[in-house]
Structure formats: structure tokens, C-alpha cells
Amino acid sequence: MAKYARIRLNAEFSTIYKNAKKWHCEHASVYFLANENELKFAPVASKKIGNAIKRNKAKRRLRAVFASLYPKLKNGSYIITAKQSLISAPFSDLSKNLIWSISKIGAFK
């Protein structure tokens, strides 16, 4: 299982938020900016989600779904922003929701 790179720099986040394809679903918002070189990913959970424990849980769940999907994804930068309903949603609903969102923005190979 190959490892994907993480998005770390504020400039990268800004570029992706401005220029990326976006799709909002029930549990998250997905941003995708195509790039031929590599696959990058960042889960985001703001303070609106809750305390640190809830934010970390949300990011862990997003990473788990992304890890199961990333062999099927096109190269590019992905930012998945959690919404409050993500914490209480069943994992199967979350994965279906993200698969649907990613297919809507055309990020599958």
C-alpha cells in the first residue's frame, strides 16, 4: 500500500480552496485539484465540529475512508472538510457519501 503525501503549506490550501472542483454532501465537503505528479490529501475539522477529541475522531474517520479509496483516485490534491453530522454518522453512510461526492467531481480513474 503506497503512502500518499500530505498537504501542509498554507499556500497549498489557499490554492486548492480557490481553484479546485468542489462538492458538498451531507457529512463533508470535498475539494479536488488535478495534478499529474502526485496524490496529496488533507482532512480538515474546524472548531465547529467540537472539542479536540471530536475533531481528531472526525479526521481519523476521513483518513480511513480515503485510505480505502485512494488506489482508485486520480492524481491530485484532495481536501475533505468535515461537517458536524460526520461524528454521529455510521461509517458505511460516510463512505457512501464520500464515494458519491468524489464521483460527482470526476476524481475516479
Side-chain angles (χ1 to χ4, degrees):
M1 183 160 124
K3 186 125 172 115
Y4 48 83
R6 294 188 301 188
I7 302 168
R8 294 175 185 243
L9 300 177
N10 191 26
E12 285 182 286
F13 277 97
S14 297
T15 303
I16 294 167
Y17 282 132
K18 286 179 189 174
N19 304 322
K21 293 180 182 179
K22 305 165 189 70
W23 194 266
H24 304 279
C25 62
E26 186 178 351
H27 304 301
S29 299
V30 179
Y31 298 84
F32 168 64
L33 185 62
N35 181 358
E36 295 178 10
N37 298 334
E38 63 184 339
L39 183 69
K40 288 186 167 188
F41 171 68
V44 176
S46 70
K47 286 192 174 184
K48 291 179 183 178
I49 300 296
N51 60 12
I53 295 167
K54 290 181 181 176
R55 290 193 306 267
N56 287 332
K57 181 179 181 180
K59 290 188 283 186
R60 274 196 318 268
R61 295 182 87 193
L62 290 174
R63 279 189 213 106
V65 172
F66 190 80
S68 67
L69 294 177
Y70 89 92
K72 305 172 195 170
L73 298 174
K74 291 180 182 177
N75 281 349
S77 299
Y78 295 84
I79 296 177
I80 302 178
T81 307
K83 293 184 180 178
Q84 271 189 325
S85 62
L86 183 131
I87 296 295
S88 60
F91 191 77
S92 60
D93 287 351
L94 175 62
S95 62
K96 286 179 190 175
N97 223 312
L98 288 177
I99 289 170
W100 179 72
S101 299
I102 291 171
S103 66
K104 284 292 191 179
I105 58 175
F108 282 116
K109 290 181 183 175

